[in-house]
Amino acid sequence: MPVTETTGHFTFADWKENPVSPEDAFPRLAHATVVNAFSGGIEAEATVCDYAIAYDTAVTGAFAGMELVTGRVDGRSGAFVLEERGRFESDGTVHCTFEVAEGSGTGELAGLRGSGGFTYRHGETKVPYTFAYEVGRG
């Protein structure tokens, strides 16, 4: 099966962050629950995402999370999970890479494999993403 590359945008529909360790100490940990809306190659009205965040400073750090995407990829419907890892910088830039969790594809997305990423810049309301994938047998 050939690899297909697609693009689109997502928006943060909701972001709730809670401290896990003291807020005035570094490094510190936080937990965030996020809802995103995807358009383009990936279409999903409301994903469910859970992040663990490690702050190096008040404005820099790293994160890892899992995002459940229920919707469509280039017209194929189903659900899948993205494993995400990233870093945020003092200028407000966030770099993230993601990969489909093995075996997580359902419906017409059974056997989905792929990876992608995004760079968010402070102030953007729509975040562009790239995604290279293939759909094989589950």
Side-chain angles (χ1 to χ4, degrees):
M1 190 92 193
V3 173
T4 301
E5 294 186 19
T6 193
T7 62
H9 291 84
F10 72 89
T11 58
F12 302 106
D14 190 29
W15 179 284
K16 291 184 178 124
E17 186 172 324
N18 296 304
V20 176
S21 60
E23 292 186 65
D24 58 351
F26 295 99
R28 72 176 167 90
L29 297 177
H31 175 263
T33 304
V34 181
V35 175
N36 293 316
F38 279 79
S39 62
I42 299 172
E43 296 176 51
E45 276 187 39
T47 66
V48 177
C49 187
D50 196 66
Y51 288 120
I53 305 167
Y55 285 89
D56 304 328
T57 71
V59 294
T60 62
F63 63 92
M66 303 288 252
E67 185 164 13
L68 174 60
V69 179
T70 302
R72 289 176 297 288
V73 175
D74 287 334
R76 292 182 178 98
S77 63
F80 59 97
V81 172
L82 293 175
E83 298 178 39
E84 303 177 7
R85 294 185 65 88
R87 179 134 190 98
F88 49 99
E89 306 298 337
S90 60
D91 66 358
T93 302
V94 176
H95 302 281
C96 180
T97 58
F98 53 79
E99 187 170 333
V100 175
E102 187 174 341
S104 67
T106 67
E108 294 175 316
L109 298 174
L112 179 68
R113 293 185 307 258
S115 61
F118 65 85
T119 297
Y120 164 82
R121 290 174 180 78
H122 182 71
E124 290 181 330
T125 56
K126 287 184 168 184
V127 182
Y129 68 84
T130 61
F131 183 48
Y133 71 93
E134 58 186 335
V135 179
R137 297 193 181 176

